[in-house]
Amino acid sequence: MFVAAEKNSQKTKQQKTSGWFYFHIVIRVIQSLLLIAVCLVFLLGALGVGIGTGYFAYLVQDTPTPTKEELEGDLEDVDETSHLAYEDGSNIATIDTELQRKSVDSDQISDTLKKAVIATEDEDFYRHNGVVPKAVVRALVSEVTGIGSSGGSTLTQQIVKQQILSDEVTFKRKANEILIANQVEKNFSKDEIVTMYLNVSPFGRNNQGKNIAGAQEAAQGLFGKDANDLNLPQAAFIAGLPQSPISYSPYTNSGELQEDLEPGLERKDYVLFSMYRNHDISKEDYQEAKDYDLTADFQEREDPAENNNEQSFLYDTVMNESLKIIARQLANEDDVSSEEFTQEDTYQNYIQEAQQKLANGGYTVNTTIDQDVYDAMQDTAENYGYLLDNNNQVEVGNVYMDNATGKILGFVGGRDYEDNQFNHAFNSTRQAGSAIKPALVYGPAIDQGLMGTDSRVSDYPADWQQGENEGDPIVNATNEGTETFQTIRESLEHSSNIASYHIYQDLLDEKDDTSFVYDNYLKKMGYPETDSWTYESASSGVPEVTTLAQTSGFQTLANEGVHQEGYLIESITDSSGEALYEHEEEPERVFSKAAASIMNDLMRSVIDSGHTTDFKSDVSNLNYNLANADWVGKTGTTDEYKDSWLAVSTPKATLSSWSGREDNEGTDRNASDRTAQYMAQLANSIYQANPDSLGTDEEFDLDDDVKEEEVSEFTGTKVDDNDTVEVDGSTMRVPNDTTTSYWAKGTPPGPSFKFGIGGSDDDYEDYWQNGPEDNNSDNDD
């Protein structure tokens, strides 16, 4: 029995021993696997570190380690002057930054403000050497994967990026940023670094509406204090501004307090909480500062000091165009849609960003402006503006454009910039008058094959058929119709409103689309979109346009029917010559070459005939070379002579003019004569400044595709010797005297009782009975 018990005990012991044995084996296996995993992780980590170190070395191999002196120069260089330049590269002006900035020493900035910035922007500031590795890794992973936040810049890195590097998002730039930030930390104390940050950072706008940078300007511009006298809530508010200075600024660009101050105040509360979390302030300090009524401390608006920088129409216009270009680029970088960009708040924010970037970036804005031409045009406005009127009540806007490229070589914004800074060439919109007829009526009708140069159109009395003027007579400038059928050439020479009405309505009726002309012609030439193009009165020039838009229409016809957008910014380059922006031509065919050449032939008759303008004789009296130039163009006036237009082209350039009173009061019937005299002086001044730009030795030619059709002088239709028509029950022979009519498309119709465009049965009967009479009195637009 004892033996049996002993055997059972040994058996149990063996089983236990065997269990522990296997358990130890499993444990050893797991330990071995863990050890292998750790080794692998270590090896992979080491490999990763090695690869990362090697890749980092590769990225910065071309970046020399900056010295302390070099870093001081870069970090404290807060502005790099930008310039505007003429076409030849000579200087127009230095860009007025409108940026208030004043650097101060560390002891002139309160410790509270320094703590507020550090707590908000870089809470590990005193614990790192310029870079937080885990933040860099997180930012790089985010950049590669697109997941999570890409933030990871220390305050030191922010200064480096702002003052030395660019905003470009690449691994190379990030590597250089890390390298330089490390050098900054080695060469400067923490207090020096935070002081530099507070001296160079942007802080929105002050109570004069000017952009400000540096803590001292922020303290004075917002609260009327020095940077070392700020209380806690004031310091917290200023510390929160650099993240989005325009959005958080309490002031508008005119110096008025924003209607909604909440974004900046909420940002202030976030800064206060960051300070409390960072143990810079107590809970009591935090709550007291949060409840503080900061709005009572903001200064009231103050008029800015007199600006002595040279201002002019040229400076203002180039700056405005440049800011639009850069603002759009910035919005594109942020994937802002065109619709969102046009919203006023969004647009103004990007304009402010663009202004800051342009003013402080060391850029050169290269324009298309010919300095000699521009100066000559300003002298003409100053010395011969009296031709427009003697009491300085009539303003003027002029644009001079190269036809082949759209380059604006010169312009006149007004008669005297000191008296009136409103740009009447680019910004003033006025009724287009009859000057719109070539682009709106005659050009499209010829291009569509509706008529030829010697087709006939009614100038018999007619009434408006629609709208508030329904039943009222359509009037020419000096009559209610000449009771005849004019040729198309005659109707344009005399600027018949009745004729242009009939042509426009026939064109729209044929297309059965009231928007046809705008969509297929005007829109392509840059004319503004408005419902008024569909009105009956559009053909008489009721829609409002700028002088620049009018110029574009004539440029298109003079350039063989191809539109080139008018522009005056050729490029924007940085200090190294690299282009931030370059103009790219986008030529677009609007009219066929045949139609454009026919229109130029018709508009030559307008200038040569002298029915509506004496420009040809006026310019001939001034300069023999200009007398021989191949001038084409069109005049235009509006009711009560409130607006006077004249646009003329040579094959090489287009020169346009608008004049009128800003209060939209009428002038008198001599407006066209005065405009012609002024424009003659302007053309002569341009020729004296740069004769090659006008191309006075070039001529407009009819395109090879123009069809020269023999037609009846009486009807403008095809005719044979024995052609007859039935008129009021009688058979009448069509007179067989013929002439040549130019057609761009289609062919002339055959003889018919109703042979022309517009007119009633009675009008045709009268014409067949009495024939064309020489009663085309000058309509004078």
Side-chain angles (χ1 to χ4, degrees):
M1 185 175 180
F2 176 80
V3 173
E6 184 178 4
K7 288 183 178 180
N8 288 335
S9 174
Q10 289 177 348
K11 183 177 180 181
T12 301
K13 187 176 180 180
Q14 288 175 351
Q15 288 175 341
K16 289 182 178 179
T17 302
S18 175
W20 279 107
F21 176 75
Y22 287 116
F23 175 76
H24 282 296
I25 290 176
V26 170
I27 293 298
R28 293 292 300 272
V29 170
I30 292 174
Q31 288 177 336
S32 299
L33 289 175
L34 288 173
L35 181 60
I36 293 171
V38 170
C39 291
L40 285 174
V41 169
F42 177 79
L43 290 173
L44 289 174
L47 180 62
V49 170
I51 293 174
T53 302
Y55 185 53
F56 180 85
Y58 166 74
L59 291 174
V60 300
Q61 63 179 338
D62 297 327
T63 303
T65 303
T67 65
K68 181 175 182 179
E69 291 74 20
E70 290 172 335
L71 287 172
E72 282 179 329
D74 289 334
L75 295 175
E76 295 176 5
D77 181 17
V78 293
D79 284 328
E80 191 172 354
T81 305
S82 296
H83 301 273
L84 311 180
Y86 288 104
E87 184 183 29
D88 62 2
S90 58
N91 193 53
I92 294 174
T94 299
I95 292 179
D96 176 14
T97 65
E98 295 187 356
L99 181 68
Q100 305 279 87
R101 187 198 300 269
K102 183 179 180 181
S103 296
V104 293
D105 294 333
S106 174
D107 60 4
Q108 294 177 278
I109 302 175
S110 73
D111 288 338
T112 302
L113 180 55
K114 294 176 184 177
K115 290 177 181 178
V117 165
I118 292 170
T120 308
E121 298 293 335
D122 187 0
E123 62 182 12
D124 294 322
F125 181 63
Y126 290 107
R127 294 189 291 272
H128 65 64
N129 293 318
V131 178
V132 177
K134 64 179 181 181
V136 173
V137 172
R138 183 174 64 247
L140 292 176
V141 170
S142 174
E143 191 65 42
V144 171
T145 65
I147 301 174
S149 170
S150 62
S153 294
T154 65
L155 192 145
T156 311
Q157 288 175 274
Q158 290 182 45
I159 302 174
V160 170
K161 181 169 64 174
Q162 179 176 321
Q163 294 298 106
I164 299 177
L165 302 176
S166 68
D167 290 330
E168 180 186 15
V169 182
T170 64
F171 290 129
K172 182 176 179 62
R173 189 206 55 78
K174 196 69 178 179
N176 285 324
E177 179 186 300
I178 293 171
L179 174 68
I180 298 172
N182 183 258
Q183 289 302 114
V184 171
E185 292 277 345
K186 287 180 180 179
N187 286 284
F188 299 95
S189 69
K190 290 291 186 177
D191 186 67
E192 287 176 320
I193 293 171
V194 72
T195 299
M196 281 188 288
Y197 177 88
L198 286 167
N199 273 326
V200 302
S201 294
F203 288 93
R205 305 187 191 97
N206 63 11
N207 63 327
Q208 296 180 350
K210 291 188 175 182
N211 293 323
I212 53 177
Q216 176 67 4
E217 284 294 345
Q220 291 180 339
L222 272 62
F223 304 115
K225 291 184 174 183
D226 289 329
N228 60 352
D229 292 331
L230 298 168
N231 62 31
L232 176 56
Q234 291 168 347
F237 187 89
I238 288 176
L241 289 170
Q243 185 191 68
S244 184
I246 298 302
S247 298
Y248 296 143
S249 173
Y251 296 106
T252 67
N253 58 7
S254 64
E256 302 285 350
L257 276 174
Q258 301 270 15
E259 291 184 7
D260 183 9
L261 295 170
E262 280 305 307
L265 295 176
E266 289 178 358
R267 176 67 176 168
K268 177 260 299 181
D269 290 344
Y270 172 79
V271 174
L272 288 170
F273 179 76
S274 298
M275 296 180 74
Y276 169 58
R277 182 184 58 195
N278 210 40
H279 306 293
D280 294 317
I281 58 176
S282 67
K283 185 175 182 180
E284 291 75 16
D285 291 336
Y286 164 66
Q287 194 61 51
E288 183 179 347
K290 185 179 179 183
D291 294 339
Y292 182 87
D293 183 13
L294 190 63
T295 60
D297 291 352
F298 292 132
Q299 296 192 95
E300 294 183 0
R301 182 186 180 277
E302 181 180 309
D303 289 330
E306 193 68 26
N307 191 338
N308 294 321
N309 195 15
E310 180 183 353
Q311 302 288 291
S312 65
F313 285 115
L314 181 57
Y315 180 92
D316 290 352
T317 306
V318 173
M319 279 297 297
N320 288 338
E321 294 299 308
S322 301
L323 291 176
K324 290 177 186 176
I325 290 170
I326 297 176
R328 182 66 263 188
Q329 286 187 334
L330 292 171
N332 288 340
E333 291 172 6
D334 292 342
D335 294 325
V336 174
S337 66
S338 297
E339 182 179 356
E340 183 180 354
F341 181 68
T342 57
Q343 295 176 4
E344 185 63 21
D345 289 345
T346 302
Y347 178 76
Q348 287 301 328
N349 278 336
Y350 278 108
I351 286 292
Q352 291 296 324
E353 286 188 43
Q355 189 172 34
Q356 192 171 6
K357 182 172 185 176
L358 180 60
N360 303 323
Y363 295 108
T364 298
V365 179
N366 302 289
T367 74
T368 62
I369 300 295
D370 182 311
Q371 182 176 5
D372 293 337
V373 167
Y374 180 81
D375 289 344
M377 294 179 73
Q378 308 318 300
D379 290 343
T380 301
E382 180 180 354
N383 298 326
Y384 294 98
Y386 74 88
L387 292 171
L388 298 170
D389 76 329
N390 288 318
N391 54 15
N392 291 325
Q393 291 183 320
V394 172
E395 268 293 357
V396 68
N398 305 111
V399 175
Y400 182 53
M401 183 185 294
D402 179 76
N403 292 333
T405 62
K407 290 181 179 179
I408 297 172
L409 304 179
F411 67 91
V412 172
R415 290 175 64 174
D416 189 336
Y417 180 82
E418 291 186 4
D419 288 343
N420 188 344
Q421 290 82 48
F422 188 66
N423 191 322
H424 300 88
F426 288 81
N427 301 329
S428 177
T429 56
R430 299 294 288 254
Q431 286 192 348
S434 292
I436 196 66
K437 291 175 181 176
L440 174 70
V441 180
Y442 288 79
I446 287 176
D447 193 55
Q448 291 296 316
L450 180 67
M451 62 192 192
T453 57
D454 281 75
S455 300
R456 293 272 175 170
V457 59
S458 173
D459 194 42
Y460 281 87
D463 296 334
W464 297 110
Q465 301 298 305
Q466 302 171 9
E468 60 183 23
N469 295 323
E470 183 178 353
D472 293 340
I474 304 171
V475 297
N476 299 321
T478 58
N479 59 61
E480 294 186 5
T482 57
E483 299 188 353
T484 190
F485 282 88
Q486 299 173 328
T487 65
I488 297 303
R489 188 181 300 275
E490 289 169 343
S491 71
L492 189 61
E493 288 177 2
H494 294 277
S495 197
S496 168
N497 290 332
I498 298 172
S500 63
Y501 161 79
H502 288 305
I503 296 169
Y504 194 55
Q505 291 307 307
D506 265 29
L507 179 58
L508 297 184
D509 289 344
E510 180 178 292
K511 298 301 177 181
D512 194 25
D513 181 2
T514 57
S515 299
F516 174 80
V517 174
Y518 178 78
D519 292 340
N520 291 277
Y521 293 95
L522 298 183
K523 184 177 183 179
K524 296 178 181 180
M525 293 183 280
Y527 283 98
E529 184 173 2
T530 169
D531 290 340
S532 57
W533 297 117
T534 66
Y535 299 165
E536 286 183 319
S537 55
S539 59
S540 297
V542 171
E544 295 185 345
V545 300
T546 64
T547 308
L548 177 61
Q550 287 278 54
T551 312
S552 291
F554 285 84
Q555 169 272 327
T556 302
L557 290 167
N559 192 40
E560 298 182 332
V562 175
H563 173 67
Q564 289 277 26
E565 181 183 6
Y567 72 101
L568 50 70
I569 306 297
E570 193 68 69
S571 65
I572 301 174
T573 56
D574 63 19
S575 56
S576 66
E578 185 175 349
L580 174 72
Y581 163 82
E582 288 183 291
H583 174 77
E584 295 183 4
E585 290 187 8
E586 296 182 357
E588 182 171 15
R589 177 158 296 285
V590 181
F591 301 95
S592 67
K593 288 180 68 174
S597 69
I598 291 173
M599 280 307 306
N600 289 320
D601 182 74
L602 289 173
M603 290 193 293
R604 181 191 292 119
S605 296
V606 172
I607 299 300
D608 288 348
S609 68
H611 290 308
T612 58
T613 180
D614 292 327
F615 172 78
K616 185 67 176 282
S617 61
D618 289 339
V619 78
S620 298
N621 291 333
L622 293 175
N623 190 309
Y624 174 80
N625 292 302
L626 294 179
N628 292 327
D630 194 6
W631 295 105
V632 305
K634 184 70 183 72
T635 56
T637 56
T638 58
D639 290 347
E640 301 177 19
Y641 306 97
K642 294 176 182 178
D643 306 280
S644 179
W645 296 89
L646 175 58
V648 294
S649 299
T650 65
K652 196 164 186 179
T654 294
L655 176 64
S656 64
S657 180
W658 166 86
S659 58
R661 290 176 51 149
E662 282 197 332
D663 60 10
N664 209 29
E665 291 294 320
T667 56
D668 60 69
R669 62 173 292 107
N670 295 319
S672 289
D673 293 337
R674 293 196 300 268
T675 298
Q677 293 171 19
Y678 169 79
M679 279 282 279
Q681 293 288 349
L682 194 61
N684 187 43
S685 297
I686 291 171
Y687 181 81
Q688 300 299 331
N690 185 349
D692 292 339
S693 69
L694 267 172
T696 54
D697 57 343
E698 299 179 25
E699 293 183 356
F700 289 104
D701 296 319
L702 286 172
D703 184 68
D704 291 341
D705 289 335
V706 171
K707 301 175 183 179
E708 300 184 18
E709 301 284 354
E710 185 179 11
V711 298
S712 166
E713 286 185 1
F714 187 80
T715 61
T717 62
K718 288 183 178 179
V719 62
D720 292 328
D721 291 342
N722 298 317
D723 279 333
T724 60
V725 297
E726 294 296 321
V727 180
D728 194 22
S730 302
T731 300
M732 299 191 67
R733 184 182 299 277
V734 179
N736 56 13
D737 293 335
T738 62
T739 189
T740 300
S741 183
Y742 299 139
W743 286 70
K745 182 180 178 181
T747 57
S752 171
F753 170 68
K754 289 188 173 182
F755 52 80
I757 299 173
S760 66
D761 288 348
D762 290 342
D763 297 336
Y764 282 100
E765 287 182 12
D766 177 77
Y767 185 81
W768 281 105
Q769 296 293 338
N770 299 312
E773 298 179 7
D774 188 17
N775 56 0
N776 288 320
S777 62
D778 291 353
N779 291 323
D780 195 27
D781 293 321

